[in-house]
C-alpha cells in the first residue's frame, strides 16, 4: 500500500488537489501503522487488514482520537494528535475530547501528554477555559473517590503560573510525514506545501490568519503563565469565566497541598470535603483538641499548633486565648 501511494504521489506532482489527497493517505497510513493497525488484538504482527485500513483512511480523525481517549489509551490518542495537528477539526475538538478520559486512566501519563504536546498548542481562550474546568473537576474526583492526592496535584500543576511558559518551547517538533522525492538528477526535495512544520505560502489571507492565531496564543499563554502581555487585538476580550476557572484551580491546588502537609507533617488525614468545612483556625485548634492527656499539650502546641498557625499567618496567641476561655466556660 505504501509503495502504491508513493507511486501515486509521483504521478500527481503536477496536480495539487490530487497530491493533497495522496499525501493525506500517506500520513494516515503512517499513523495506522504507528497505532498498531488500529489497536485490535486480532491483528498479529505482519498482518494488514485492508478493510479496516480503508475505514480508517476515510474516518474522522477527531472521532478516532475521542475513541482512544474514551478507552484511556493515551499512547494511541497521542499518536493521532502528534501526526495530524494540521487537521483543523482535530485541533478545535481537542479541549473537548480530553474530557472523555475515564477516571481510571493513568493520570500521570495524561498529564505528561497534555503538558508536552497539547497545552503548548492551545491558541484560544475557550480551550484554556475548557481545560481549566476539566482539570478542577477531575482533580476533585481523584481526591474524593480514589484518594489520589498526588495525581490530583499533578493535574493542577498544569495550570500553575509559569508552567506553560516553561513547556511551550520544550515540545517535540511536529512529525515530518513526507519522504523526500528523488528526481532524475539525484537531488532530494520535500514538497513545499501541506507540511505543518514547514513555512506556508506567504499570502495576505495567511498573514492575517497567522497574526490572529498568534495573538490568541499569546493572550492565552499570558493568562495561564503569568506573563504580562497587553494585546491590542479588538477581538481578544477579557474572559471572566477563564479567570474564574484558573483561580479556582490554583486555589484547589493550594487546598490539596495543605491536605498533604497536614497528613505528612502533622498526622491529620482530612478529606477535601471535610477540609472545606473548616477554617485554618479550626484546624489549628484540632491539634490541641486531639491531645489525649494534659501533659502532652506542650508538645502539641510547639510541634503542631504554632507551626500550622504560622504557615497560614494566624494570630496564634489570640486563637489560644479564645480556646482557653472557651474551655473554661465549658
Amino acid at each position: 500500500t505504501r509503495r502504491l501511494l508513493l507511486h501515486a504521489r509521483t504521478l500527481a506532482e503536477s496536480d495539487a488537489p490530487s497530491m493533497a489527497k495522496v499525501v493525506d493517505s500517506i500520513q494516515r497510513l503512517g499513523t495506522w501503522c504507528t497505532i498498531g493497525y488500529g489497536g485490535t488484538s486480532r491483528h498479529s504482527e505482519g498482518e494488514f487488514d485492508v478493510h479496516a485500513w480503508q475505514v480508517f483512511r476515510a474516518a474522522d480523525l477527531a472521532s478516532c482520537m475521542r475513541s482512544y481517549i474514551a478507552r484511556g489509551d493515551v499512547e494511541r490518542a497521542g499518536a493521532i494528535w502528534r501526526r495530524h495537528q494540521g487537521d483543523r477539526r482535530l485541533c478545535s475538538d481537542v479541549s473537548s475530547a480530553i474530557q472523555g478520559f475515564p477516571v481510571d486512566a493513568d493520570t500521570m501519563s495524561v498529564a505528561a501528554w497534555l503538558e508536552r504536546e497539547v497545552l503548548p498548542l492551545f491558541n484560544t481562550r475557550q480551550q484554556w477555559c475548557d481545560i481549566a474546568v476539566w482539570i478542577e473537576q477531575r482533580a476533585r474526583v481523584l481526591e474524593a473517590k480514589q484518594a489520589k492526592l498526588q495525581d490530583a496535584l499533578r493535574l493542577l500543576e498544569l495550570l500553575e503560573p509559569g508552567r506553560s511558559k516553561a513547556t511551550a518551547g520544550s515540545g517535540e517538533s511536529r512529525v515530518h510525514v513526507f519522504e523526500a522525492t528523488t528526481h532524475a538528477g539525484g537531488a532530494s526535495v520535500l514538497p513545499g506545501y501541506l507540511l505543518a512544520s514547514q513555512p506556508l505560502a506567504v499570502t495576505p489571507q495567511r498573514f492575517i490568519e497567522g497574526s490572529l492565531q498568534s495573538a490568541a496564543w499569546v493572550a492565552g499563554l499570558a493568562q495561564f503563565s503569568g506573563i504580562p502581555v497587553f494585546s491590542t487585538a479588538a477581538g481578544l476580550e477579557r474572559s471572566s469565566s477563564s479567570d474564574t476557572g484558573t483561580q479556582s484551580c490554583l486555589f484547589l491546588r493550594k487546598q490539596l497541598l495543605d491536605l498533604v502537609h497536614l497528613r505528612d507533617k502533622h498526622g491529620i488525614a482530612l478529606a477535601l470535603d471535610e477540609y472545606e468545612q473548616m477554617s485554618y483556625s479550626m484546624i489549628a485548634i484540632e491539634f490541641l483538641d486531639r491531645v489525649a492527656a494534659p501533659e502532652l499539650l506542650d508538645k502539641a502546641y510547639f510541634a503542631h499548633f504554632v507551626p500550622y498557625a504560622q504557615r497560614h499567618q494566624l494570630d496564634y496567641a489570640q486563637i489560644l486565648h479564645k480556646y482557653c476561655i472557651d474551655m473554661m466556660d465549658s
Side-chain angles (χ1 to χ4, degrees), residues 244-295:
T244 302
T246 311
Q247 294 304 318
S248 181
C249 283
L250 295 178
F251 182 67
L252 176 58
R253 180 172 181 270
K254 180 181 178 182
Q255 289 179 310
L256 295 182
L257 285 173
D258 202 37
L259 285 177
V260 173
H261 175 79
L262 285 169
R263 183 191 63 191
D264 296 345
K265 300 294 184 180
H266 302 293
I268 290 184
L270 295 174
L272 180 60
D273 57 349
E274 295 175 318
Y275 177 86
E276 289 180 326
Q277 301 301 317
M278 303 175 71
S279 66
Y280 294 139
S281 299
M282 292 171 63
I283 295 174
I285 291 174
E286 179 66 22
F287 294 125
L288 303 178
D289 279 341
R290 68 175 180 170
V291 174
E295 58 269 20

Side-chain angles (χ1 to χ4, degrees), residues 184-250:
S188 296
V189 297
L190 286 168
Y193 47 86
L194 298 175
L195 271 177
S197 54
Q198 286 189 338
L200 298 171
V202 180
T203 64
Q205 179 63 27
R206 194 168 296 284
F207 175 78
I208 293 173
E209 291 178 354
S211 299
L212 290 175
Q213 290 176 358
S214 298
W217 158 245
V218 169
L221 180 62
Q223 180 180 349
F224 283 84
S225 64
I227 306 173
V229 176
F230 300 92
S231 173
T232 58
L236 296 178
E237 300 177 354
R238 293 184 60 85
S239 172
S240 60
S241 60
S242 295
D243 293 339
T244 302
T246 311
Q247 294 304 318
S248 181
C249 283
L250 295 178

Side-chain angles (χ1 to χ4, degrees), residues 1-48:
T1 301
R2 179 174 176 276
R3 290 179 180 177
L4 286 174
L5 288 172
L6 292 176
H7 179 64
R9 185 184 64 182
T10 303
L11 296 177
E13 282 184 347
S14 59
D15 185 351
S18 298
M19 172 65 88
K21 293 180 180 179
V22 173
V23 161
D24 179 68
S25 295
I26 293 174
Q27 175 133 344
R28 285 182 182 243
L29 179 62
T31 304
W32 178 246
C33 295
T34 299
I35 63 179
Y37 299 153
T40 55
S41 58
R42 62 191 181 87
H43 294 295
S44 60
E45 185 176 355
E47 284 188 3
F48 188 87

Side-chain angles (χ1 to χ4, degrees), residues 288-302:
L288 303 178
D289 279 341
R290 68 175 180 170
V291 174
E295 58 269 20
L296 299 176
L297 277 172
D298 183 68
K299 180 179 179 181
Y301 176 81
F302 288 105

